[in-house]
Amino acid sequence: MSYLFGGGAKQDTGAVDPVKMEMAVAELDMITDVFNRLVTSCHQKCIQPNPQSHRYAEGELLKGEAVCIDRCSAKFFEVNKVVGERMQAMGGTAQATGGFGGR
Amino acid sequence: MSTPPPPTPPPSVPPQQPPPIPFSATPPAPPPGGPAPVAPGAPGAKPPLEPLTGFRSALEHTGLPRSVLTYKPRLPSRNWLIFWSVLSSVSYLYYDDRRRCKKIKAEYIAKVEHLGKEVLEGGSLGLVRKVRVLAARWPEDDEADRGAKYFRKYLKPYLVAAGIDYDTLPPPLYGAITRQTHAAILTARRQKLGLEPTPVPLSVPGAIDPAAVEANDLAGGVILIGRPSLKEYMEGLKRGWAGSVDEWVWEKEVEARMKGDGVFEGPASEVGEASSGAEFAADVPTTQSSGMSPTGLSFLNRPQPSLSSASASQAGPQVPTHMHLPPNPLPPQPPLLLVPWTNHLGFQQIPYMIYDFFTEHRKVEEGAKLAYALICGHTRPFLASSSSSFPTANTSSPSPFSSSEAPASTPGSLGPGLGSDLDFDRQAERYFKNDFDDLPARLQKAKDDYYPDLSARLADVRALAAGERELTDAEKKSTKPLVSEEDLRDERKKKELRWRGQVEGWGIVRKEQGVTYEDGWEGWLSVFREPREGEGEGAKKNEEKVW
């Protein structure tokens, strides 16, 4: 988001760097996507396992649900991190060996 | 029944002579493979068929085969009988045991699930009760995780149902719990005394008040799985509260000890080996070590915590001596849940494993009761001395296991019993493998094997760096980065940390060493107990006297 506001600091009037805009938009999209997935996944696991039923047991957040959501989101980010590290490693070896030479 | 039963055959028919069977004299076709009916008495004749009695005679003409009508159930042969009886009894034992397990589990979950359905105070930012799970490594176990698995299988379902959060700290080595506890207590003490800056809370809407977190931690509880965990935890408490307040990180202490070894100094660098070897034996703690005591924060996984550069505590302002004294009275600790656990390892313990396989309901029942006690939250004081004259164990005078008799009634971890909590689950130590006693010797041998090899590799790497030799063919071909001196240093550091940690933990956990307990700790610690008659789940009550 800082791109949007930082780029607005007027050196050249009006022209915001389109490349940076693109990057910022892509990053925002990515974050929103991750967030939506997280919410959907943890909601399904912890609040309402049955996707057909559209009922909440109670209007307030329950203790069991709160604990479940804490652990669910922690695990989600952990998985995200591990997968990201793996991707980086793969990217690194791909760069070093000049291409995706198998696993 | 209105119709009378079918009449028996008329008594006028003589029993010896079978009545003439109609249509048998002229069968439409001869029975296959059977001779044509001839007069009885002739050679090769089929014996006359026995008359059917009772309802069978009525069914005779229905077309059902005779074999069906004259069917007589028989037992299978002796061998089959043996086979089926053995198989069915073993299967039934298994089935019945698992059925009981399910029943117990369902019963206890039903008891506590209403707690998980309570509304969370504070909405989504409310604090939930959180317990710490400390499961030390079982001696001679390759898997460090088994205690945590025991927790997950037998205690966690009830905590999940009741909406209680839990935190498992991984213990990579023996004695890791001691070191972690010591570090945590030291940090808290130093922060309270102002020697260390307290972490600044973020000014974010969702930030949680640290005081509330601390109160939650205190109310939560600590679950100790197995006697080794209790030993390590108590030792950690002692080191944390009775030790000095100087800044201390275990890895740094070990590094400082390694520095003078001279392994990485010059080309002829084996002078320092003798000193490091002798130090090994001194690592086993039998008396209180001087100030520095080890800790470990998963050193193999996480990077070193970067302490502020200004904290050169040795050279900096001296900590006033009164700060080193433990606060009096000692601050309250979260109550403990002592979970007895015996991990059977090895070929000779296979009979016990088989017995455990068929009696899992005992473990389920025990785990359920313990979890229920934790959830209800009633506590009793930690008993260090029993009503019998069984001597308590202190680190200064370790009571050898073999010379004393086990108390008549080892206390259940829940019931007050007559025994001491320091003897908690003592019978589990019988199942330690005998190899565990040789651990320091084995590690010393590993060291002796490693260091000559290391100096050879070091010389090799240094020669390469100095340009005295070329890359070998294998090194040229491989895609892995070349081994550098830094890598060798890191490897050596990791190995040293591992060895020293293991030896220190061995000193704490071995069966000759009792559970650490200081005299001033009376009434300080508390243990979860089963709720008595009339008590339900409630807020934690104050500690009650047992007598």
Side-chain angles (χ1 to χ4, degrees), chain B residues 366-389:
Chain B
E366 193 172 44
K369 284 201 176 127
L370 289 163
Y372 187 65
L374 176 87
I375 292 166
C376 291
H378 301 294
T379 58
R380 63 167 171 86
F382 187 93
L383 289 171
S385 59
S386 56
S387 57
S388 62
S389 58

Side-chain angles (χ1 to χ4, degrees), chain B residues 373-434:
Chain B
L374 176 87
I375 292 166
C376 291
H378 301 294
T379 58
R380 63 167 171 86
F382 187 93
L383 289 171
S385 59
S386 56
S387 57
S388 62
S389 58
F390 189 70
T392 60
N394 270 336
T395 43
S396 50
S397 57
S399 55
F401 181 60
S402 51
S403 71
S404 47
E405 292 183 32
S409 62
T410 35
S413 58
L414 304 180
L418 289 175
S420 147
D421 278 322
L422 299 180
D423 299 324
F424 160 68
D425 206 23
R426 199 159 198 147
Q427 51 85 24
E429 288 180 341
R430 289 188 303 156
Y431 300 103
F432 284 3
K433 277 174 133 179
N434 293 332

Side-chain angles (χ1 to χ4, degrees), chain B residues 121-145:
Chain B
E121 299 114 24
S124 60
L125 293 176
L127 282 176
V128 176
R129 181 175 170 195
K130 196 158 179 163
V131 299
R132 265 189 296 153
V133 179
L134 301 177
R137 196 187 186 120
W138 189 264
E140 292 301 304
D141 194 354
D142 288 328
E143 242 183 79
D145 219 15

Side-chain angles (χ1 to χ4, degrees), chain A residues 60-64 66-67 71, chain B residues 116-118 120 128 165-166:
Chain A
E60 312 275 346
L61 189 66
L62 306 176
K63 280 187 185 159
V67 170
R71 302 197 83 87
Chain B
K117 300 204 166 115
E118 286 172 4
L120 182 66
V128 176
D165 205 359
Y166 62 91

Side-chain angles (χ1 to χ4, degrees), chain B residues 178-438:
Chain B
T178 305
R179 298 186 277 265
Q180 290 166 1
T181 318
H182 182 187
I185 293 172
L186 198 63
T187 314
R189 261 175 99 184
R190 283 175 65 86
Q191 282 174 1
K192 278 228 166 48
L193 291 171
L195 297 168
E196 240 180 51
T198 48
V200 178
L202 305 166
S203 59
V204 167
I208 303 173
D209 180 27
V213 169
E214 219 179 286
N216 198 30
D217 197 38
L218 205 59
V222 171
I223 298 182
L224 297 170
I225 313 250
R227 189 172 164 82
S229 308
L230 176 65
K231 283 184 174 172
E232 291 190 14
Y233 183 70
M234 298 293 270
E235 178 71 23
L237 281 184
K238 179 188 148 206
R239 290 185 189 179
W241 288 111
S244 75
V245 194
D246 288 329
E247 192 184 319
W248 169 75
V249 178
W250 177 59
E251 289 90 341
K252 293 214 158 47
E253 187 211 347
V254 173
E255 269 179 61
R257 282 203 198 161
M258 285 192 327
K259 230 177 220 128
D261 279 355
V263 173
F264 282 91
E265 297 294 292
S269 55
E270 282 169 71
V271 184
E273 295 323 307
S275 61
S276 71
E279 261 184 66
F280 217 50
D283 269 349
V284 177
T286 46
T287 54
Q288 187 176 2
S289 45
S290 62
M292 303 291 210
S293 310
T295 189
L297 291 170
S298 304
F299 62 91
L300 290 172
N301 296 332
R302 296 197 212 142
Q304 291 295 324
S306 56
L307 302 168
S308 54
S309 53
S311 67
S313 59
Q314 314 315 75
Q318 288 298 323
V319 175
T321 35
H322 71 267
M323 283 193 178
H324 290 302
L325 294 173
N328 192 8
L330 290 166
Q333 295 289 310
L336 312 173
L337 181 70
L338 304 175
V339 177
W341 172 50
T342 309
N343 187 17
H344 291 294
L345 294 171
F347 183 75
Q348 291 185 339
Q349 296 189 24
I350 287 182
Y352 296 110
M353 294 186 212
I354 295 174
Y355 178 71
D356 278 346
F357 179 76
F358 285 107
T359 52
E360 215 167 86
H361 65 273
R362 289 192 313 135
K363 289 197 248 181
V364 170
E365 174 109 44
E366 193 172 44
K369 284 201 176 127
L370 289 163
Y372 187 65
L374 176 87
I375 292 166
C376 291
H378 301 294
T379 58
R380 63 167 171 86
F382 187 93
L383 289 171
S385 59
S386 56
S387 57
S388 62
S389 58
F390 189 70
T392 60
N394 270 336
T395 43
S396 50
S397 57
S399 55
F401 181 60
S402 51
S403 71
S404 47
E405 292 183 32
S409 62
T410 35
S413 58
L414 304 180
L418 289 175
S420 147
D421 278 322
L422 299 180
D423 299 324
F424 160 68
D425 206 23
R426 199 159 198 147
Q427 51 85 24
E429 288 180 341
R430 289 188 303 156
Y431 300 103
F432 284 3
K433 277 174 133 179
N434 293 332
D435 289 346
F436 189 55
D437 301 330
D438 309 327

